[in-house]
Amino acid sequence: DSGVTQTPKHLITATGQRVTLRCSPRSGDLSVYWYQQSLDQGLQFLIQYYNGEERAKGNILERFSAQQFPDLHSELNLSSLELGDSALYFCASSTLPKDEQYFGPGTRLTVT
Amino acid sequence: AQTVTQSQPEMSVQEAETVTLSCTYDTSENNYYLFWYKQPPSRQMILVIRQEAYKQQNATENRFSVNFQKAAKSFSLKISDSQLGDTAMYFCAFTSNWLGNEKLTFGTGTRLTIIP
């Protein structure tokens, strides 16, 4: 158990819908990262937050957004969902940006 | 941009044997960090080992060790006395030392099967 929690574990929704994925980092970790794992794209970095501020952006679609709250938990919002958004979404956290990242169990999103 | 290449899509080895997974990367930076992550069938991503590029000594964690060749940009993982629980996908990953660029860049993975 890495100490990073993600909810829900599984999510099934229809095209065009909007969902919110939640992540709670390890106790004391200030940096949160979101990654997407799909069969065709592999593991891709989406976005990073550090102590409530956006720090880096990767291959994140405009339909996706994220935020980190004062209690350091983070949410990833996915809207206007398409079939191709079906993937495993991971949250990871680290104490400081330079430290090793520990991953949560992931949220499996299925868009039908 | 940094890239990470894992050229072995699948490998298998008998239980108790030693296996080496290969990884090469491309970067123009002099200081950076390299990692191996394990993803078992549960899909959890588990950190196996970390190497800092400025350290010449190869990292070790129990049965796991790396062979870090900075000039060749090679970072292989050796698993000794392999166990059934080592069956998993293994991902090599790179992260920069530049501020604001701490994302992990992953290779495509090697699926390792330990045969009883």
Side-chain angles (χ1 to χ4, degrees):
Chain A
D1 185 359
S2 67
V4 180
T5 60
Q6 289 187 248
T7 55
K9 281 189 176 178
H10 302 277
L11 203 47
I12 302 174
T13 190
T15 54
Q17 295 299 305
R18 173 190 169 92
V19 297
T20 297
L21 313 183
R22 181 187 169 102
C23 167
S24 292
R26 295 184 317 161
S27 177
D29 283 1
L30 300 176
S31 202
V32 168
Y33 309 77
W34 286 96
Y35 294 88
Q36 179 195 59
Q37 184 177 31
S38 60
L39 283 174
D40 55 344
Q41 300 265 353
L43 272 155
Q44 299 273 323
F45 166 72
L46 295 177
I47 197 163
Q48 176 195 4
Y49 281 84
Y50 175 64
N51 204 20
E53 299 289 327
E54 182 184 303
R55 185 170 174 91
K57 254 185 176 177
N59 301 319
I60 188 165
L61 299 171
E62 284 191 13
R63 301 182 286 108
F64 296 0
S65 64
Q67 55 185 323
Q68 186 179 28
F69 295 87
D71 67 352
L72 300 176
H73 91 272
S74 178
E75 293 181 356
L76 179 66
N77 301 295
L78 315 177
S79 61
S80 303
L81 285 167
E82 302 175 359
L83 296 177
D85 298 328
S86 295
L88 189 53
Y89 290 84
F90 285 108
C91 167
S93 75
S94 64
T95 307
L96 296 173
K98 278 286 150 273
D99 296 330
E100 50 265 40
Q101 297 176 30
Y102 292 90
F103 282 71
T107 293
R108 178 170 294 285
L109 173 67
T110 302
V111 182
T112 61
Chain B
Q2 294 87 4
T3 58
V4 178
T5 302
Q6 292 179 253
S7 58
Q8 305 154 311
E10 294 189 24
M11 295 186 72
S12 60
V13 67
Q14 293 287 139
E15 189 177 6
E17 291 186 350
T18 295
V19 61
T20 299
L21 308 184
S22 301
C23 172
T24 58
Y25 57 93
D26 189 25
T27 182
S28 59
E29 299 177 28
N30 189 51
N31 196 18
Y32 44 86
Y33 303 86
L34 295 163
F35 305 84
W36 280 97
Y37 280 86
K38 167 184 176 180
Q39 187 177 40
S42 67
R43 308 306 299 270
Q44 173 79 48
M45 292 289 288
I46 302 166
L47 177 62
V48 175
I49 203 164
R50 177 192 196 216
Q51 175 79 42
E52 295 167 38
Y54 66 87
K55 290 187 176 178
Q56 292 193 343
Q57 187 171 7
N58 290 324
T60 62
E61 285 288 340
N62 301 313
R63 298 182 295 107
F64 299 86
S65 60
V66 298
N67 183 4
F68 174 49
Q69 302 287 330
K70 190 173 184 179
K73 295 181 181 173
S74 169
F75 183 60
S76 61
L77 175 69
K78 185 171 86 170
I79 306 174
S80 303
D81 185 26
S82 57
Q83 300 174 0
L84 297 179
D86 296 334
T87 292
M89 282 287 287
Y90 286 82
F91 292 95
C92 179
F94 170 103
T95 189
S96 170
N97 193 44
W98 289 359
L99 292 177
N101 193 20
E102 297 97 3
K103 66 175 183 183
L104 287 166
T105 300
F106 288 91
T108 51
T110 296
R111 184 177 303 280
L112 176 65
T113 302
I114 309 300
I115 303 166

